[in-house]
C-alpha cells in the first residue's frame, strides 16, 4: 500500500495522511487506489509534512505504519539520526 507515496526515509519529516468524512460507497471507490498511490488527489485526502505532530481527540486509536500505536492523544517528533535504518540503495 502506498499510503503516503512521496514519503522519504531520509528527509527528516513525517508524512501525515488525514482522510476527511467519506461515505461508505465513496471509501469503497477510493480505497483500491491506495495500492497504486492514486488516492492522494481525492478531495477528502490531505497529506502534510511536519517535524512534530500532536493528534488529539476522544475515543480514537492511533496507527503508525499500519500498526496499532496507542490511544490518543499522541505526539510524534522526528529526531534526526536517532535510528539507524538499513535499506538497499534507492529505497
Amino acid at each position: 500500500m502506498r499510503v503516503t507515496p512521496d514519503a522519504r526515509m531520509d528527509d527528516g519529516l513525517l508524512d501525515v495522511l488525514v482522510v476527511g468524512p467519506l461515505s461508505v460507497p465513496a471509501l469503497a471507490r477510493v480505497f483500491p487506489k491506495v495500492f497504486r498511490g492514486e488516492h492522494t488527489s481525492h478531495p477528502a485526502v490531505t497529506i502534510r509534512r511536519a517535524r512534530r505532530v500532536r493528534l488529539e481527540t476522544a475515543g480514537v486509536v492511533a496507527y503508525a505504519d499500519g500498526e496499532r500505536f496507542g490511544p490518543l492523544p499522541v505526539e510524534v517528533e522526528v529526531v534526526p539520526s536517532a535510528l539507524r535504518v538499513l535499506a538497499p540503495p534507492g529505497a
Side-chain angles (χ1 to χ4, degrees):
M1 293 175 70
R2 302 188 67 215
V3 177
T4 54
D6 295 327
R8 300 289 171 252
M9 283 191 289
D10 60 354
D11 66 0
L13 297 171
L14 299 163
D15 285 55
V16 181
L17 177 116
V18 177
V19 179
L22 280 176
S23 66
V24 172
L27 178 61
R29 285 190 302 275
V30 173
F31 183 74
K33 295 179 180 184
V34 173
F35 292 93
R36 297 181 306 277
E38 297 174 355
H39 60 294
T40 60
S41 62
H42 191 280
V45 174
T46 304
I47 297 177
R48 296 284 187 254
R49 290 190 172 119
R51 294 197 190 283
R52 182 183 344 204
V53 174
R54 180 175 173 82
L55 303 172
E56 186 171 350
T57 193
V60 174
V61 174
Y63 282 75
D65 199 26
E67 300 294 327
R68 186 181 176 103
F69 190 75
L72 297 185
V74 65
E75 189 165 332
V76 180
E77 180 178 1
V78 173
V79 179
S81 301
L83 177 67
R84 177 174 276 169
V85 177
L86 300 176

